[in-house]
Amino acid sequence: MDEFLKRVFLFLLVFCVSLPVFSQDGIFDDEKADGPFKKSNIPGGQRSEFEDPTQKKLEVSKDTPTVDVHGDVHFQHPSTMDPEKMTEELFILSLTAAEKSLVSGLIDEKEKKIKKGISGPVLFEAGARIAQVGRPAFGRIFLERSLKAQGTPAEYAAMADRVGGEHLIFLVTNSAVGPIGDQALDKALAEAKKYWTDPVRLEESLQKYVKGKKSEKVDALIHFRKADEASIDFLMDKLEKVPDEDLLPIQELLGFLGPDTDQALFAALDSTKEKLVLRAISLLGKIPGAENRENLLVRYYTGGSAAPAQKDLLEKAITAHFGKIPPKEEVIDLIYERALSYYKRQEVPPQMIDGHCSLRIFDPESGNLVLKDFTEEEYFRKYAAIWSKRAWKLIEGPTEKSETEKDSLLDKRIRNLTLALAASAEDLLYQKGLDKPLDTTPYTAEFPKATSKDQERALDFALRMNRPKGGIMPVVLLGKSGEFEFCYSDQREMSPLIRAACSTDRRLRFAALSAVARLNPEKSYFGSSLILPALIQFTTSTGARKFVCAAPQFQDALKIGNIFTTLGYLPKPAISGGEILRTAQEDADIELVVALASVQKPDMMTTVQMLEKDYRTGDIPVLVGATSRVTVSEPDELDQKKWDGNRKQIPADSEFGMIVDSVHPGSPYLTREVWAIRLSEIESKRLEALPEDPDKLAFSDQVRKEFYAPILMVLNTELNMKRAMRQGGLEKNALAVALPYDKASLEWTMRQLQEKTGIEQVGAPLRKAQAKAAAGMIVRLLTAHPEIYMIEDIEILIRRLIERPDLIEEGLRIAALVPSAGIQNYLANQIADPRWSMQQRERFLQAFADHLDQHGSKLRGPDIKRLYDRYNASEKEPREVQNLFSNMLDAYEAVKK
């Protein structure tokens, strides 16, 4: 079962199956539970003792036999041993009477082993319960066996009812149980789901709800809740097929299932099944909620050729909500505001589990409602597009109005169309794939009457709303329009197209630069000086994956680099904020910046801000390491023996002891931020109050101060950095953490960084292709209008391109446009460079001769002398080399004459 569905079931189980059985009066009654875990098997008749994960470990019974585990050396009681080293037999011997009651009937007392032939659900239940009372290592034994054992879906479903959602969640959240808990839970939920979602069982529950007693109705409701999405599908199918007299129970059950029902009914409005549409309209009229009302209004005003029956029902449903039919002018504004709230991400999303939700949509191909998984961002994109197109459709047609009303309506049309274009462009781009070949056909087909001016407005809107992906399709269409006027602006700022060419979003920036190169304006424009530097930055990409690793000490920067190279990055060390900025700005292959918080000149807060604001670096995620040099050390450099020796001085079951285990540099790197807060709350003031003189400290306090105070300092630095970044508004592209030190911590950190920043970087192969395309654009612009774009350091660009085997031709084409002695000297040097192949040297000779023909000789005395010296020095060179220098000299002399 995939992770999302597993979380969904756990979430539902917390509310639905935490306690096993309902009584007739609606009170949970454990006496009705079956199996080895029924209430009568638990001493004192109380279950809470076994369900509290924070309780102290149960004492070992005095009559538990002492076990000789070290031969003739000494005796050790099983309860004092390391649980990870205990065998199955030792676990059984160490069980208290209360713990034994949890596994009664499962243990062979004589053999001191778990019995064979026990079903999977029983083994799973035993493992879950024994793990939660403080025996996770023993619980893992049961859980591992449950993976190989068999059981029916009904047995697994009954077991889940008995165990309850809290116990199941414990298996996922408690790291002591380990991956076995996850695997066993996957299997158990997958089997239970087969029972809960079985159409036969759902039909039985429906009959119970219709005809059963009160307790049976409650059982039916719980079953429908546990079946979750399958319940919606089942009931929506019934909604269409049942006769009118049987419709009420279906409507009640759909209403009971809440917001999921609303989404299914919205989707049903687009169905081609007339009866389903009519009943969906009727039911939406009875369910309160602003979105329900607005869906009905859109349907009413845009239904067009809808059947009269639909119109009548819509009028009744809308009147039930509003008391009347609101005028269309009000509805236009209402739907626009709804669309805008989705576009701004101001709506409350559906219940998200692990960042995902499942919603029903109408599939035109199958003609059915289908369930689709969405991330939160996908949800907002899709519904912003849906509602904005509804807002546009409401106002699109002709209307008979006065002149004043026409002006107002025109403004609304522009407003609605602008939002619809921007939202739809973003949604369609993601549907196709960010880096797939762009196809604007579906986009233009949706808005066939949209002009280039409309596209410019949509681009401007997307930029101002910080939704750059929504500007890519408008930019591409502007580039195809052939109207270079879009590069100009009559305002006090650059035109939207030129602003897009300086966007921090790399994809939009490249698309806008491509459009400018295609339009190739004939005269200077506001922002034209930024175009060539932006294109030059693209040409720096070689398709490698690089990152900046920074620390005040160079050796620490190298250590950081060693950690992250395991991800395939090439490190570029830096020791100051200024070096970070220069390196990131000059190299388009930088995918990540990792720096210690102690980096200065400028400090990391300033550096992060400057990186985020610069269009060349605005989409580079930054990892700020709130850590010391010690935590950057390799794991084998840690004094593990000394740590472990002092760790024993802290009570193992104390909260401080558990936190210390979680923040130790060699421990699994999980929810460090949470532990940091708790450790800070527990220890900060106490550590500050301890005497400085070690002789005045108790031994445990001395251990605290020597070993744990530095860790607390690191974690507090991390928290303070987070707060400072949050207050400075620098949370977009940066994350402050204690730096990772091994593979597990590295993977965890990178997941946190991706979730935090949400940055969608361009892949290395595409970056390399963009570099070649950018060089071609530079040639195009400089060939047509060099006076607009020529820059002082153009020779640096030419040399950089020529030194790239894949960009030599572009470099030579640009060199031919620059009338300077530096270029002629550079070409002559390349002709004389033996590292090039003879074929390539001849190509440089041709470029040298062409440059002389076009611009005349720019060479001066020392430069000319060097040409003759090279020719004279080639006397002993191979014949082909002599000819090369002879031809170079002939080219110069031909121009001189």
Side-chain angles (χ1 to χ4, degrees), residues 342 766 781 829:
Y342 273 110
L766 183 56
L781 292 173
N829 291 337

Side-chain angles (χ1 to χ4, degrees), residues 598-659:
S598 50
V599 167
Q600 297 295 317
K601 297 181 181 179
D603 61 77
M604 277 311 297
M605 281 291 293
T606 305
T607 302
V608 167
Q609 188 171 23
M610 294 174 74
L611 286 168
E612 189 171 311
K613 301 302 180 186
D614 192 301
Y615 72 88
R616 296 165 291 183
T617 58
D619 58 352
I620 298 176
V622 183
L623 199 61
V624 181
T627 184
S628 67
R629 291 179 57 186
V630 174
T631 54
V632 185
S633 301
E634 299 296 331
D636 56 5
E637 294 181 23
L638 297 171
D639 192 346
Q640 188 72 42
K641 185 176 292 187
K642 189 174 182 181
W643 180 286
D644 290 342
N646 286 282
R647 171 68 183 85
K648 291 178 181 177
Q649 308 304 319
I650 307 298
D653 59 350
S654 70
E655 185 173 22
F656 179 71
M658 291 186 289
I659 293 174

Side-chain angles (χ1 to χ4, degrees), residues 639-698:
D639 192 346
Q640 188 72 42
K641 185 176 292 187
K642 189 174 182 181
W643 180 286
D644 290 342
N646 286 282
R647 171 68 183 85
K648 291 178 181 177
Q649 308 304 319
I650 307 298
D653 59 350
S654 70
E655 185 173 22
F656 179 71
M658 291 186 289
I659 293 174
V660 165
D661 287 341
S662 297
V663 300
H664 170 243
S667 66
Y669 198 80
L670 300 174
T671 52
R672 182 180 282 271
E673 182 175 4
V674 175
W675 287 115
I677 294 171
R678 294 177 66 183
L679 179 59
S680 181
E681 291 171 348
I682 294 170
E683 289 294 306
S684 287
K685 292 182 180 179
R686 179 173 178 178
L687 285 168
E688 291 172 2
L690 291 177
E692 292 294 331
D693 187 353
D695 294 335
K696 296 180 181 180
L697 294 171

Side-chain angles (χ1 to χ4, degrees), residues 50 79 98 100 102 169 309 375 377 417 446 466 503 517 616 813:
F50 303 100
S79 64
K100 281 183 179 180
L102 291 175
I169 289 176
T375 64
E377 188 58 30
L417 178 58
E446 282 191 331
N466 196 27
S503 169
R616 296 165 291 183
R813 288 165 64 191

